[in-house]
Amino acid sequence: MAMSILRREGRRLLPSIAARPIAAIRSPLASDQEEGLIGVRSISTQVVRNRMKSVKNIQKITKAMKMVAASKLRAVQGRAENSRGLWQPFTALLGDNPSIDVKKSVVVTLSSDKGLCGGINSTVVKVSRALYKLNAGPEKEVKFVIVGEKAKAIMFRDSKNDISLTVTELNKNPLNYAQVSVLADDILKNVEFDALRIVYNKFHSVVAFLPTVATVLSPEIIEKESEVGGKLGELDSYEIEGGETKGEILQNLAEFQFSCVMFNAVLENACSEMGARMSAMDSSSRNAGEMLDRLTLTYNRTRQASITTELIEIISGASALEAAK
Amino acid sequence: MFRQASRLVSRSITAKSATNRAFSTEVPSTIDSSFVEAWKKVAPNMDPPQTPSSFMKPRPSTASSIPTKLTVNFVLPYASELSGKEVDMVIIPATTGQMGVLPGHVPTIAELKPGIMSVHEGTDIKKYFVSSGFAFLHANSVADIIAVEAVPLENIDASQVQKGLAEFTQKLASATTDLEKAEAQIGVEVHSAMNAALSG
């Protein structure tokens, strides 16, 4: 009965550790049941010991990954918080219009390049897909611009035709404004849009990441909306200093807004990635620790059982000899 | 009677904090309602994503009389230099020239060129060299200045400026393609503005 409980325990799977060591753990426990194979007894402790070694290594690796993510988070978090003031003036001037109805929307999906960071990339992809459904319709089209390997892999499967641009390896070098503005420039040059919707994970705290969508409108739409009135109606009351036409200033304004919002979004996403990786690796190492405890118990029980069996053999052999005399 | 009074006071305090965020772990929830409705139709099982307006403090409304001080928010990509600072006047380097901003200024959107921005607070004057950016002056006497790069004037090294100016003037002379010419021109403009700033 103890053996069946152990087998049931061993079956509780870790999501982040590969399936192979877990399948392998089941076999020595199963082979323990077959007491007929006497030679297997000493080998099965060996097998359990190997499992313990590999699980301990996994625990060490995930602990190290957690520390690395924690130190990277500390580095990026300060910069992300400092950049939060950057997009606020634009939203104060132009307002926030996520529900604006436009012909050409472009959804810019920000994700990470590396994995093992929990669910943040799948939430961003889910939000992007929902935005696609929200904004698609007759005479309206939605295109994707994907930043990051993980979202690319997921979106390639079903929305391959709607992806206009993919960008990877953004986080290889430390992020700075010049790099992000070059990226923003690339996107603006290559993609036609009426509204850009940037989807990213905002860093709320080390354990909370909020999927957020920031909307940047093209200068033509801003002019149209300000004439119509509503949220942007007050824009007309603003005097324009410099530049020949209002359109020129609005063009520069929209481009500047996009690069500022992108900069903040990229930093926040990087922070969220590090935070999510920290908590994923933390739960991984904790699970590995629990598994190690269970394996240790199994190991000891197996060892004691084999010693007991040997003793029984010796004693029964000895008493048989006694009885024969 | 004192117990009643303290209970009423505590109730009013908790009511106030409940309307603001009660816990720091709670998520802000002021999202555009039409967006939320449209979202629920498309993805009923998912929470709608946040939008930037829910992360911003609301701006003060336009006062009926002109306020005495100008509130300045000066932001850079890597820091918020000044945030909500009350000052008397700022002078910004707009493309049309140096522009003085006092409280009650007409709402304006101004594009900035490389030059000095000075913040006047009583007798203090703080000068920054700004590379470029935008300035929004709102009707409620709030000025938002967004610059790509800005340094306090003290941190600029005069000899480096001279070297840079000479280098870019030479590049402009030897530039062949339009792109090189434009880049060299920008370099010359910025360096000569810095020169003028240091001397003037």
Side-chain angles (χ1 to χ4, degrees):
Chain A
M1 196 197 114
M3 284 308 192
S4 62
I5 294 175
L6 278 171
R7 215 172 344 131
R8 237 183 295 131
E9 301 259 270
R11 227 172 260 152
R12 243 196 297 167
L13 298 176
L14 287 82
S16 49
I17 298 186
R20 250 181 12 124
I22 296 164
I25 289 165
R26 260 190 251 155
S27 45
L29 293 171
S31 65
D32 267 351
Q33 291 279 18
E34 302 168 57
E35 307 203 328
L37 295 147
I38 298 172
V40 181
R41 245 174 273 126
S42 50
I43 294 174
S44 63
T45 61
Q46 184 75 322
V47 173
V48 177
R49 222 175 329 146
N50 286 339
R51 295 299 152 253
M52 281 168 63
K53 203 159 55 142
S54 72
V55 171
K56 203 186 283 190
N57 283 338
I58 289 174
Q59 188 187 35
K60 278 195 212 153
I61 291 171
T62 51
K63 248 195 214 156
M65 284 182 77
K66 177 188 165 196
M67 305 228 168
V68 166
S71 71
K72 285 199 183 156
L73 176 68
R74 239 175 297 135
V76 197
Q77 193 175 352
R79 301 176 62 210
E81 288 180 354
N82 285 337
S83 78
R84 274 187 192 156
L86 197 58
W87 52 263
Q88 291 187 1
F90 294 104
T91 313
L93 179 73
L94 299 169
D96 193 20
N97 311 302
S99 54
I100 199 161
D101 204 12
V102 290
K103 285 223 174 63
K104 297 207 187 107
S105 340
V106 174
V107 175
V108 180
T109 313
L110 297 183
S111 66
S112 63
D113 285 329
K114 306 211 183 105
L116 293 181
C117 48
I120 52 169
N121 291 324
S122 53
T123 40
V124 160
V125 168
K126 268 192 257 175
V127 170
S128 310
R129 288 215 184 108
L131 279 176
Y132 178 89
K133 271 194 271 177
L134 202 82
N135 287 309
E139 290 197 3
K140 293 202 282 186
E141 58 158 357
V142 183
K143 290 270 168 198
F144 289 111
V145 170
I146 302 193
V147 178
E149 278 286 350
K150 290 284 142 190
K152 184 167 111 174
I154 305 177
M155 303 283 271
F156 246 53
R157 259 183 275 140
D158 40 325
S159 318
K160 197 152 43 148
N161 307 325
D162 291 315
I163 299 177
S164 29
L165 197 63
T166 55
V167 182
T168 51
E169 298 200 352
L170 189 64
N171 296 338
K172 203 152 79 144
N173 305 319
L175 295 161
N176 61 358
Y177 184 70
Q179 181 190 22
V180 177
S181 47
V182 168
L183 167 67
D185 200 32
D186 260 343
I187 296 177
L188 288 168
K189 266 195 296 210
N190 293 324
V191 185
E192 265 193 43
F193 65 96
D194 286 331
L196 283 159
R197 299 172 203 274
I198 306 166
V199 184
Y200 62 101
N201 288 95
K202 184 167 159 71
F203 185 75
H204 186 58
S205 77
V206 181
V207 293
F209 322 107
L210 309 170
T212 312
V213 59
T215 320
V216 174
L217 304 170
S218 75
E220 296 91 30
I221 296 288
I222 296 178
E223 276 212 61
K224 206 170 66 158
E225 287 287 317
S226 65
E227 279 157 27
V228 165
K231 282 206 195 156
L232 286 170
E234 293 177 11
L235 199 61
D236 246 355
S237 62
Y238 280 78
E239 292 253 340
I240 310 287
E241 278 284 327
E244 283 84 56
T245 62
K246 186 170 177 180
E248 212 183 279
I249 296 276
L250 281 181
Q251 171 94 358
N252 290 344
L253 187 67
E255 293 183 1
F256 193 39
Q257 181 187 12
F258 181 47
S259 70
C260 289
V261 173
M262 267 303 265
F263 183 61
N264 176 251
V266 166
L267 281 175
E268 300 266 357
N269 207 45
C271 270
S272 310
E273 181 198 334
M274 293 304 151
R277 185 164 298 134
M278 248 179 77
S279 44
M281 290 298 105
D282 182 46
S283 57
S284 240
S285 35
R286 210 176 314 127
N287 285 343
E290 286 174 22
M291 190 167 228
L292 205 55
D293 289 340
R294 268 179 267 131
L295 283 173
T296 313
L297 288 175
T298 319
Y299 175 70
N300 286 331
R301 245 169 261 164
T302 324
R303 189 178 51 86
Q304 289 163 357
S306 70
I307 292 171
T308 315
T309 333
E310 291 217 26
L311 281 171
I312 290 173
E313 282 173 22
I314 294 168
I315 293 169
S316 54
S319 64
L321 283 173
E322 286 274 336
K325 268 205 266 186
Chain B
M1 195 194 97
F2 287 128
R3 219 176 336 136
Q4 294 271 32
S6 64
R7 192 154 38 95
L8 286 170
V9 167
S10 63
R11 206 186 320 151
S12 64
I13 292 176
T14 51
K16 200 157 163 234
S17 65
T19 53
N20 301 339
R21 268 192 268 154
F23 302 104
S24 63
T25 49
E26 250 179 48
V27 166
S29 60
T30 50
I31 315 178
D32 194 2
S33 53
S34 52
F35 179 62
V36 175
E37 278 164 30
W39 180 271
K40 286 218 193 308
K41 271 187 256 164
V42 191
N45 300 330
M46 236 199 303
D47 277 332
Q50 301 287 326
T51 49
S53 52
S54 48
F55 299 122
M56 229 175 79
K57 283 196 283 245
R59 289 298 177 93
S61 53
T62 313
S64 48
S65 66
I66 300 177
T68 46
K69 291 265 194 190
L70 186 67
T71 319
V72 172
N73 295 321
F74 179 34
V75 284
L76 301 166
Y78 50 82
S80 297
E81 251 331 292
L82 303 170
S83 128
K85 186 140 190 260
E86 306 245 328
V87 297
D88 298 319
M89 176 169 81
V90 283
I91 304 184
I92 56 178
T95 39
T96 49
Q98 298 279 82
M99 193 165 108
V101 183
L102 292 158
H105 196 282
V106 160
T108 310
I109 302 175
E111 199 175 337
L112 304 177
K113 69 169 188 220
I116 312 181
M117 185 188 97
S118 49
V119 178
H120 299 249
E121 161 102 53
T123 47
D124 276 342
I125 307 183
K126 185 102 201 273
K127 292 201 183 170
Y128 298 91
F129 183 81
V130 163
S131 71
S132 56
F134 266 87
F136 306 144
L137 311 170
H138 302 279
N140 50 9
S141 288
V142 175
D144 289 316
I145 304 168
I146 311 133
V148 175
E149 184 66 69
V151 284
L153 219 51
E154 303 88 59
N155 299 4
I156 303 184
D157 183 2
S159 53
Q160 288 279 3
V161 174
Q162 298 294 2
K163 251 199 296 190
L165 185 58
E167 194 187 316
F168 277 101
T169 334
Q170 195 227 356
K171 267 199 209 156
L172 183 59
S174 64
T176 45
T177 63
D178 266 343
L179 181 66
E180 275 176 38
K181 238 184 255 182
E183 282 178 14
Q185 187 101 26
I186 294 172
V188 167
E189 244 182 67
V190 174
H191 281 88
S192 32
M194 273 201 270
N195 219 357
L198 285 174
S199 48

